[in-house]
Amino acid sequence: MAYLSIENVTKQFGDAVVVDNFNLGIEKGEFVSFLGPSGCGKTTTLRMVAGFEIPTSGKIKLGGADITDKAPNQRNVGMIFQSYALFPNMTAAQNIGFGLAVRKMNAEEIKQRVDEMVGLINLEDHANKYPYQLSGGQQQRVSLARALAIRPEVLLLDEPLSALDAKIRVSLRAEIRAIQKRLGITAIFVTHDQEEALSISDRIAVMNAGEMEQVGTPFEIYNFPKTQFVANFVGSLNNADAEVVDPDNGILAMDGVHFKTAEKEFTRRRKGDKVKISVRPERFSFAAEPMKDNVVDCIIENITFLGSVVRIQISIGNTKFNMDTFNNPFLDLPAIGAKEQVMCSKEAVLVLSGEETPQGYLAGVAG
Amino acid sequence: MAQTAVTVKGSGAAPTNWRAWLGVAPFFLFAILFLFLPSLRLFTASFTNSSGNFTLENVIQLFSEPFIVNAYKLSIQISAVTALGGGILGFLLAYSVTVGGLPSSLRSVLITFSGVASNFAGVPLAFAFVATLGRQGFITHILRDYLNINIYDTGFNLYSFAGLSLVYMYFQFPLMVLIMAPALDGLKREWREAAENLGASTTQYWLKVAMPVLLPSILGAMILLFGNAFGAYATAYALTGGRIGIVTIQIGAQIRGDVLYNPGLGYAMAIGMVAIMAVSLAGYSWLQAKTERWLR
Amino acid sequence: MNLMSRFRRFPFWSWIWFILGALYFILPLLATFEFSLSWDPEVPFKAYQRAFEDNDFWETFIFSNVLALATIIVSIILIVPTAYWIRLRLPEARRMVEFITLMPFVVPAIILVFGLIRIYSSPITVPFTDLQLMQPLTNFKAGTNVLIVAGYMVLAMPYMYRSVDTGMRTVDIRTLTEAAQSLGANWFTIITRIILPNIRAALLSGALLTFAIVVGEVTLASFLGVNAFGPYLFLLGQHRAYEPAALSFISFLLTWLAMGLIQLATGGQGQAAGAH
């Protein structure tokens, strides 16, 4: 039985279904991200766990108890807001102590706990400052300490880093993850930034238009995406139309070029089915290795130097693909217009269902 | 002159020469001629006695002469009462259309109407209240004919301090609404949610977060209301004809040259009033700055 | 969601305050209107007819409108270039100018007129000499007209300045000016063809507010002996019963019209003038 379970939760606003039959079980101490574009329902789902929205149907259970109808101030979950939401009339220390004061702890206990929290976020010198005297990153850390001070059962973070500068974002997310691990607290993190989700989560739930498309570890989500949407949203992807040639042996043809795939459900397909073939740019290589299953001819169309990565645009048949390879000063790059052979493994060839993809090689530009 | 381009002054530019100050000269000239000189004249005249020499006597008499002390007392009373009353009512009204959850169409109606009502002071307002609560007034009639209550029997009189206060409220609490509505908008929804999330009840949220944050705005607005009432003349004169001796009425009498053995007193009264208004404005500005700093 | 929480969300008290407030606002207007109609049961609008038949009404009302217009025009000519200049060439003067525009709050109409009369009822002389430059302004009609327009400009100044300043800020005057300069425009062209058109809403808002302040104004007008609508209405109230009510109601409608137009022009920001 999961520690926090969201069961068949649906939320409707009038006729609009914003969250559709969301199901997820989260273990104690787990860090789960809700990842998706704006409007996919991730924040609404989070707010239902916090109690600021009531599900139209479904249940939310925490530690075995049903909290679906409980008022927000009875749930003992800690929430971090995108806009920090620090009370402007109180110092950082007073903000942190607010939840404790509400619970009528005595002054001695409050001071002790507040000092502990201030130490946790490393803001000892700023504890008596007012929010307007603190930077965005500092305010968010105070907000974190404020939520943690009451020892919540779950920590809910609603795009906490979106309002911050890029550098602070990276350092603060690592800090949040470190604190979460140290305290062993269960956390749900909402974001639209796939890099954020990938770098700090135990598991990621990818959402699209109210539905959860896939949930899994970052490794699984990236390497074994189940739908077009997930594959495109997380990382970049080459997409093209293809046709099934030999279902039993996993062979499909794109522009007449044969590819072998290791997709598990492929044997269920029939010859002649129209499918989409997807390959991540970094799975192509020039190097000849006997284990690679797919060796195809291509023509080099363009070479772009992106820093640590070199992006080579190739055409296979009539379709253009992106191929990424690590930069190396001694790399012997082919000339534009040259005919080469590229290879990729059959596991790299994904055949995914679903929509949400523009055609051709421009699919799924990262971010 | 026509071909002179306007050069834009960037930051870090060299200090301006005197030529640039020519541009604001007309404005300053106007202010001097029609604002500062008259005020200065009043100021110096209040320290001059009838032979033209310097004296502090006029100012001292402000505090000793009974009818003057009474005038200030009355003015302060009516300003304080209507600032408090108008402030509370105005706040509740502003609350109802912002945080209080009424439909937004009602809000724009209220804001427009508040703009109208706060401008509707003076003679027409006095007449309107006479038509409402005067001896032959609309409400007076209704109360007498339908509810058998004759308000004039109970001692109520529109042309008294109470009546004047009631009339003043008509432009006081719209002013409060216009100031408080934006301030209440500034209460972020997330503060309430964060407070709830940390376990606070609605009352606790209002007591510990919302009210403290709003307090500077509320106080500042009430101070502004105070000054607003203090300086009102036409409404009081139109309603009571000078019977209620507030400071502005007394000053009006001075201008007309009513018998006063020492004209310097009139000036001193005027300066006393300016002093009170200045303190009121300073208080409002300080609280305003504090609010803005908090809600950055 | 159960029934109790649904009830919790209904803004019960908000409606109460709103209705109370609405009653307080509306009843006096209703009473005035009702009274204005009650002169002659057979001719309900008799009060209005009589009021409009009075030549003095037209004389004073038109004159007040003319005064308002004059105030508006001179204010714009004075304030727009000043606000523009401060923004672009002389930011140091901003604090001073803003301080000046707050002064009318400290010097209400009754004090202002007191001071104006005392200064301008003596001849204007060259300082420290006995040379007379001009007769006292208060001695002749044109003089008092100048005085009262100046006085009205002072009263309206805070609102006019704030309107114009806000308008300029929203439109980013600086960038527009730089663009115009790069295309070769001189300062006159810039002000008339670029600045003024772009702050139209702000100008309208300030103008309407000035209009509302001037037309009903009584204090300055009566002490300076100017033949304006305010004193006329007051005098009417001493002798007549129904016509003043009718004119008061009209005055209210006019104020509402002005405020409504301001709302339209500015998209919803209310504007308040102080008490009179």
Side-chain angles (χ1 to χ4, degrees):
Chain A
M1 181 59 182
Y3 183 62
L4 169 66
S5 70
I6 306 173
E7 297 169 5
N8 301 319
V9 163
T10 301
K11 178 67 181 170
Q12 263 182 283
F13 289 112
D15 283 337
V17 179
V18 173
V19 178
D20 194 357
N21 205 22
F22 189 93
N23 272 290
L24 186 61
I26 302 179
E27 301 304 326
K28 198 165 205 288
E30 209 184 351
F31 191 111
V32 173
S33 288
F34 290 174
L35 174 67
S38 334
C40 69
K42 55 192 194 295
T43 299
T44 311
T45 311
L46 189 80
R47 287 169 65 82
M48 286 195 277
V49 177
F52 298 126
E53 311 280 355
I54 308 279
T56 314
S57 65
K59 286 198 186 309
I60 301 179
K61 294 195 185 137
L62 181 57
D66 186 344
I67 61 168
T68 320
D69 284 322
K70 252 193 185 173
N73 49 7
Q74 311 273 341
R75 291 193 187 203
N76 204 32
V77 298
M79 180 117 168
I80 318 278
F81 298 83
Q82 186 176 356
S83 63
Y84 330 132
L86 293 181
F87 305 131
N89 54 317
M90 301 183 191
T91 62
Q94 288 167 332
N95 263 283
I96 296 175
F98 181 80
L100 307 168
V102 158
R103 281 160 177 71
K104 304 224 189 329
M105 289 168 61
N106 69 44
E108 189 51 48
E109 291 172 341
I110 293 183
K111 179 158 178 8
Q112 199 182 3
R113 182 76 178 145
V114 168
D115 286 342
E116 199 184 321
M117 289 289 106
V118 167
L120 185 69
I121 54 169
N122 288 317
L123 279 180
E124 288 92 345
D125 295 332
H126 305 276
N128 290 319
K129 290 204 177 139
Y130 283 91
Y132 75 90
Q133 295 170 302
L134 301 171
S135 72
Q138 290 168 331
Q139 287 186 58
Q140 199 58 294
R141 279 144 80 192
V142 173
S143 166
L144 183 65
R146 180 177 70 176
L148 290 173
I150 56 172
R151 297 183 210 277
E153 311 202 30
V154 181
L155 194 62
L156 304 172
L157 304 107
D158 186 3
E159 306 215 42
L161 309 174
S162 303
L164 302 168
D165 293 336
K167 267 223 166 86
I168 311 266
R169 237 184 280 173
V170 174
S171 66
L172 194 51
R173 81 181 182 218
E175 209 175 314
I176 291 177
R177 176 58 158 159
I179 293 178
Q180 180 263 344
K181 269 199 181 146
R182 175 137 58 115
L183 299 177
I185 190 169
T186 318
I188 303 181
F189 186 93
V190 164
T191 179
H192 60 266
D193 183 342
Q194 44 126 14
E195 193 192 304
E196 252 169 41
L198 286 173
S199 61
I200 57 177
S201 321
D202 289 321
R203 278 194 300 162
I204 305 179
V206 182
M207 290 180 73
N208 180 28
E211 290 182 15
M212 180 167 70
E213 298 234 347
Q214 184 174 357
V215 61
T217 65
F219 187 85
E220 286 165 9
I221 297 276
Y222 187 84
N223 288 313
F224 308 114
K226 289 199 183 124
T227 67
Q228 278 288 327
F229 176 79
V230 174
N232 277 285
F233 196 81
V234 184
S236 56
L237 194 66
N238 289 303
N239 272 317
D241 291 324
E243 198 179 293
V244 176
V245 168
D246 185 352
D248 298 318
N249 289 316
I251 307 219
L252 49 138
M254 184 216 72
D255 285 354
V257 179
H258 281 212
F259 281 90
K260 196 152 184 218
T261 176
E263 196 233 343
K264 296 191 193 71
E265 306 293 314
F266 203 70
T267 44
R268 295 243 204 100
R269 301 187 187 271
R270 289 172 321 206
K271 181 175 161 105
D273 273 353
K274 294 269 183 277
V275 294
K276 273 216 173 7
I277 181 174
S278 310
V279 183
R280 294 228 188 259
E282 71 273 12
R283 303 300 291 274
F284 284 116
S285 61
F286 289 123
E289 284 173 28
M291 297 307 289
K292 292 284 198 239
D293 317 280
N294 291 302
V295 180
V296 295
D297 294 323
C298 73
I299 301 178
I300 309 293
E301 300 287 343
N302 200 1
I303 299 184
T304 317
F305 177 66
L306 295 177
S308 59
V309 160
V310 177
R311 178 158 288 172
I312 305 172
Q313 192 190 100
I314 58 181
S315 55
I316 301 176
N318 296 327
T319 311
K320 291 199 172 60
F321 278 71
N322 270 340
M323 170 181 159
D324 287 349
T325 180
F326 272 122
N327 179 34
N328 179 342
F330 304 106
L331 205 57
D332 198 7
L333 288 175
I336 295 188
K339 287 198 173 58
E340 292 288 337
Q341 282 198 326
V342 286
M343 20 204 107
C344 66
S345 68
K346 61 181 191 287
E347 286 77 14
V349 177
L350 306 170
V351 181
L352 302 170
S353 58
E355 295 304 321
E356 294 280 320
T357 63
Q359 292 298 331
Y361 74 101
L362 281 175
V365 178
Chain B
M1 196 57 163
Q3 284 308 311
T4 319
V6 178
T7 40
V8 176
K9 190 172 175 186
S11 51
T16 2
N17 57 14
W18 60 272
R19 251 185 272 264
W21 287 90
L22 275 183
V24 289
F27 183 77
F28 283 157
L29 191 64
F30 173 80
I32 292 175
L33 277 180
F34 297 108
L35 189 54
F36 287 115
L37 273 185
S39 312
L40 200 64
R41 182 73 155 84
L42 293 179
F43 188 75
T44 50
S46 59
F47 291 104
T48 316
N49 65 15
S50 26
S51 7
N53 301 321
F54 178 82
T55 172
L56 280 176
E57 260 194 45
N58 297 328
V59 179
I60 294 177
Q61 273 199 291
L62 276 185
F63 298 96
S64 59
E65 189 64 48
F67 86 93
I68 295 186
V69 173
N70 196 44
Y72 275 96
K73 203 164 73 151
L74 272 176
S75 279
I76 291 179
Q77 274 174 336
I78 202 172
S79 306
V81 163
T82 56
L84 207 59
I88 294 178
L89 236 70
F91 177 78
L92 288 171
L93 212 55
Y95 170 84
S96 73
V97 294
T98 50
V99 182
L102 288 184
S104 53
S105 51
L106 283 184
R107 179 192 172 134
S108 46
V109 166
L110 180 67
I111 298 287
T112 315
F113 219 105
S114 297
V116 176
S118 67
N119 280 315
F120 191 50
V123 177
L125 182 66
F127 287 173
F129 264 86
V130 169
T132 314
L133 282 170
R135 288 188 191 278
Q136 308 299 329
F138 186 66
I139 298 285
T140 322
H141 265 289
I142 290 186
L143 287 175
R144 192 168 54 213
D145 297 339
Y146 294 105
L147 291 176
N148 267 328
I149 306 174
N150 187 335
I151 49 176
Y152 276 83
D153 280 346
T154 65
F156 171 77
N157 187 345
L158 181 65
Y159 313 100
S160 65
F161 181 88
L164 192 60
S165 304
L166 205 59
V167 179
Y168 270 26
M169 296 271 266
Y170 198 84
F171 55 74
Q172 289 287 62
F173 85 88
L175 188 59
M176 188 69 173
V177 170
L178 289 174
I179 299 182
M180 287 312 298
L184 279 163
D185 279 342
L187 274 184
K188 296 199 205 155
R189 183 183 70 162
E190 285 98 19
W191 290 332
R192 195 208 172 108
E193 289 180 351
E196 267 190 308
N197 175 258
L198 292 160
S201 65
T202 310
T203 321
Q204 283 173 315
Y205 162 69
W206 275 98
L207 275 178
K208 287 180 188 266
V209 183
M211 272 308 176
V213 172
L214 284 175
L215 210 58
S217 301
I218 296 179
L219 282 180
M222 284 198 188
I223 292 180
L224 202 67
L225 257 58
F226 180 89
N228 199 28
F230 205 92
Y233 172 77
T235 315
Y237 196 76
L239 188 71
T240 63
R243 274 198 300 277
I244 301 187
I246 52 178
V247 177
T248 48
I249 299 277
Q250 300 287 25
I251 294 180
Q254 292 312 306
I255 303 179
R256 272 201 206 85
D258 279 6
V259 176
L260 189 65
Y261 59 90
N262 183 356
L265 266 183
Y267 298 121
M269 272 203 286
I271 292 302
M273 183 168 154
V274 169
I276 293 186
M277 305 290 275
V279 168
S280 146
L281 184 68
Y284 169 73
S285 301
W286 180 72
L287 284 165
Q288 189 73 334
K290 189 163 183 196
T291 313
E292 265 157 38
R293 200 187 45 167
W294 265 10
L295 299 180
R296 189 184 60 122
Chain C
M1 193 153 55
N2 57 26
L3 193 60
M4 265 323 278
S5 50
R6 207 159 270 165
F7 182 74
R8 176 163 56 94
R9 289 188 195 269
F10 179 75
F12 179 66
W13 281 108
S14 297
W15 276 107
I16 300 235
W17 301 127
F18 187 81
I19 291 175
L20 280 178
L23 277 176
Y24 189 83
F25 270 139
I26 294 178
L27 280 177
L29 300 169
L30 204 64
T32 312
F33 187 55
E34 195 263 352
F35 188 73
S36 71
L37 294 178
S38 59
W39 189 354
D40 187 348
E42 275 157 42
V43 189
F45 287 95
K46 190 168 183 181
Y48 293 86
Q49 277 177 315
R50 283 298 163 82
F52 291 140
E53 276 165 5
D54 188 356
N55 275 333
D56 285 337
F57 162 73
W58 289 108
E59 213 182 291
T60 55
F61 187 68
I62 291 179
F63 188 59
S64 279
N65 276 291
V66 168
L67 285 178
L69 203 62
T71 310
I72 292 172
I73 293 177
V74 183
S75 288
I76 292 182
I77 294 180
L78 186 70
I79 290 184
V80 171
T82 308
Y84 180 66
W85 197 258
I86 294 180
R87 249 175 206 280
L88 256 43
R89 279 267 264 152
L90 201 62
E92 299 97 12
R94 168 170 286 272
R95 298 214 118 221
M96 225 182 296
V97 169
E98 286 189 344
F99 180 77
I100 293 179
T101 59
L102 283 180
M103 284 301 99
F105 286 129
V106 171
V107 184
I110 185 82
I111 307 261
L112 183 67
V113 76
F114 200 10
L116 283 176
I117 290 181
R118 283 299 176 255
I119 286 220
Y120 293 105
S121 55
S122 342
I124 300 178
T125 58
V126 177
F128 307 122
T129 68
D130 272 333
L131 291 173
Q132 276 200 8
L133 281 177
M134 202 194 258
Q135 282 298 306
L137 278 180
T138 47
N139 275 6
F140 53 103
K141 206 162 196 173
T144 51
N145 288 344
V146 167
L147 271 183
I148 203 169
V149 170
Y152 286 157
M153 282 173 66
V154 171
L155 289 183
M157 183 169 50
Y159 312 101
M160 189 57 110
Y161 176 79
R162 194 170 38 173
S163 245
V164 170
D165 190 49
T166 310
M168 287 192 175
R169 185 176 35 196
T170 17
V171 175
D172 193 359
I173 282 297
R174 173 175 287 241
T175 315
L176 286 183
T177 305
E178 289 175 352
Q181 282 177 291
S182 72
L183 294 164
N186 61 29
W187 71 264
F188 185 71
T189 313
I190 293 179
I191 289 207
T192 50
R193 300 185 73 190
I194 295 171
I195 309 297
L196 282 182
N198 275 298
I199 54 171
R200 253 198 301 247
L203 287 182
L204 190 63
S205 166
L208 285 167
L209 206 64
T210 308
F211 173 79
I213 294 178
V214 170
V215 166
E217 209 278 335
V218 161
T219 313
L220 286 184
S222 62
F223 284 107
L224 284 173
V226 171
N227 195 20
F229 180 61
Y232 165 77
L233 191 60
F234 179 70
L235 221 54
L236 198 67
Q238 313 284 70
H239 309 304
R240 317 283 308 160
Y242 298 97
E243 289 94 320
L247 287 179
S248 294
F249 190 71
I250 300 268
S251 150
F252 160 73
L253 286 180
L254 275 179
T255 315
W256 187 328
L257 187 66
M259 292 301 130
L261 285 173
I262 293 184
Q263 282 274 82
L264 276 176
T266 61
Q269 310 299 318
Q271 285 271 38
H276 309 320

